PDB file of all heavy atoms in Angstrom:
ATOM      1  N   HIS A 164       6.761  30.077  11.506  1.00 95.00           N
ATOM      2  CA  HIS A 164       6.098  29.153  12.484  1.00 95.00           C
ATOM      3  C   HIS A 164       6.396  27.706  11.985  1.00 95.00           C
ATOM      4  O   HIS A 164       6.138  27.262  10.806  1.00 95.00           O
ATOM      5  CB  HIS A 164       4.553  29.353  12.484  1.00 95.00           C
ATOM      6  CG  HIS A 164       3.909  28.292  13.269  1.00 95.00           C
ATOM      7  ND1 HIS A 164       3.886  28.317  14.602  1.00 95.00           N
ATOM      8  CD2 HIS A 164       3.113  27.233  12.854  1.00 95.00           C
ATOM      9  CE1 HIS A 164       3.161  27.228  15.068  1.00 95.00           C
ATOM     10  NE2 HIS A 164       2.722  26.592  13.994  1.00 95.00           N
ATOM     11  N   THR A 232       0.001  26.477   6.236  1.00 93.00           N
ATOM     12  CA  THR A 232      -0.065  25.351   7.078  1.00 93.00           C
ATOM     13  C   THR A 232       0.322  24.080   6.295  1.00 93.00           C
ATOM     14  O   THR A 232      -0.444  23.238   5.964  1.00 93.00           O
ATOM     15  CB  THR A 232      -1.511  25.091   7.670  1.00 93.00           C
ATOM     16  OG1 THR A 232      -2.390  25.033   6.526  1.00 93.00           O
ATOM     17  CG2 THR A 232      -1.963  26.191   8.523  1.00 93.00           C
ATOM     18  N   THR A 233       1.651  24.033   6.031  1.00 94.00           N
ATOM     19  CA  THR A 233       2.148  23.010   5.186  1.00 94.00           C
ATOM     20  C   THR A 233       2.657  21.751   6.013  1.00 94.00           C
ATOM     21  O   THR A 233       3.236  21.935   7.068  1.00 94.00           O
ATOM     22  CB  THR A 233       3.436  23.548   4.424  1.00 94.00           C
ATOM     23  OG1 THR A 233       3.020  24.641   3.602  1.00 94.00           O
ATOM     24  CG2 THR A 233       4.019  22.482   3.474  1.00 94.00           C
ATOM     25  N   ASP A 234       2.416  20.574   5.485  1.00 94.00           N
ATOM     26  CA  ASP A 234       2.844  19.377   6.092  1.00 94.00           C
ATOM     27  C   ASP A 234       4.004  18.736   5.303  1.00 94.00           C
ATOM     28  O   ASP A 234       4.958  18.121   5.814  1.00 94.00           O
ATOM     29  CB  ASP A 234       1.755  18.364   6.333  1.00 94.00           C
ATOM     30  CG  ASP A 234       0.922  18.662   7.548  1.00 94.00           C
ATOM     31  OD1 ASP A 234       1.497  19.025   8.585  1.00 94.00           O
ATOM     32  OD2 ASP A 234      -0.313  18.478   7.543  1.00 94.00           O
ATOM     33  N   THR A 282       6.505  17.190   8.043  1.00 93.00           N
ATOM     34  CA  THR A 282       6.342  17.322   9.522  1.00 93.00           C
ATOM     35  C   THR A 282       6.335  15.944  10.237  1.00 93.00           C
ATOM     36  O   THR A 282       6.436  15.846  11.453  1.00 93.00           O
ATOM     37  CB  THR A 282       4.900  17.959   9.848  1.00 93.00           C
ATOM     38  OG1 THR A 282       3.867  17.309   9.087  1.00 93.00           O
ATOM     39  CG2 THR A 282       4.948  19.452   9.397  1.00 93.00           C
ATOM     40  N   ARG A 306       0.059  16.200  13.923  1.00 83.00           N
ATOM     41  CA  ARG A 306       1.145  16.809  13.143  1.00 83.00           C
ATOM     42  C   ARG A 306       1.169  18.272  13.403  1.00 83.00           C
ATOM     43  O   ARG A 306       0.064  18.871  13.388  1.00 83.00           O
ATOM     44  CB  ARG A 306       0.986  16.516  11.717  1.00 83.00           C
ATOM     45  CG  ARG A 306       1.143  15.084  11.315  1.00 83.00           C
ATOM     46  CD  ARG A 306       0.926  14.748   9.840  1.00 83.00           C
ATOM     47  NE  ARG A 306       2.074  15.309   9.056  1.00 83.00           N
ATOM     48  CZ  ARG A 306       2.404  14.770   7.870  1.00 83.00           C
ATOM     49  NH1 ARG A 306       1.676  13.803   7.309  1.00 83.00           N
ATOM     50  NH2 ARG A 306       3.368  15.275   7.202  1.00 83.00           N
ATOM     51  N   GLU A 307       2.333  18.839  13.603  1.00 89.00           N
ATOM     52  CA  GLU A 307       2.410  20.283  13.658  1.00 89.00           C
ATOM     53  C   GLU A 307       2.883  20.907  12.342  1.00 89.00           C
ATOM     54  O   GLU A 307       4.011  20.654  11.916  1.00 89.00           O
ATOM     55  CB  GLU A 307       3.443  20.688  14.785  1.00 89.00           C
ATOM     56  CG  GLU A 307       3.508  22.179  14.961  1.00 89.00           C
ATOM     57  CD  GLU A 307       4.755  22.556  15.833  1.00 89.00           C
ATOM     58  OE1 GLU A 307       5.349  21.704  16.379  1.00 89.00           O
ATOM     59  OE2 GLU A 307       5.108  23.762  15.818  1.00 89.00           O
ATOM     60  N   SER A 308       1.964  21.606  11.649  1.00 93.00           N
ATOM     61  CA  SER A 308       2.262  22.155  10.375  1.00 93.00           C
ATOM     62  C   SER A 308       3.261  23.331  10.426  1.00 93.00           C
ATOM     63  O   SER A 308       3.492  23.850  11.564  1.00 93.00           O
ATOM     64  CB  SER A 308       0.941  22.603   9.624  1.00 93.00           C
ATOM     65  OG  SER A 308       0.096  21.548   9.508  1.00 93.00           O
ATOM     66  N   PHE A 309       3.855  23.694   9.333  1.00 95.00           N
ATOM     67  CA  PHE A 309       4.738  24.865   9.340  1.00 95.00           C
ATOM     68  C   PHE A 309       4.299  25.812   8.293  1.00 95.00           C
ATOM     69  O   PHE A 309       3.622  25.462   7.287  1.00 95.00           O
ATOM     70  CB  PHE A 309       6.227  24.402   9.150  1.00 95.00           C
ATOM     71  CG  PHE A 309       6.579  23.729   7.780  1.00 95.00           C
ATOM     72  CD1 PHE A 309       7.030  24.540   6.726  1.00 95.00           C
ATOM     73  CD2 PHE A 309       6.376  22.397   7.615  1.00 95.00           C
ATOM     74  CE1 PHE A 309       7.280  24.018   5.480  1.00 95.00           C
ATOM     75  CE2 PHE A 309       6.629  21.849   6.271  1.00 95.00           C
ATOM     76  CZ  PHE A 309       7.104  22.632   5.289  1.00 95.00           C
TER      77      PHE A 309
END
Side-chain angles (χ1 to χ4, degrees):
H164 174 74
T232 55
T233 301
D234 278 321
T282 55
R306 295 179 70 156
E307 180 193 350
S308 300
F309 65 94

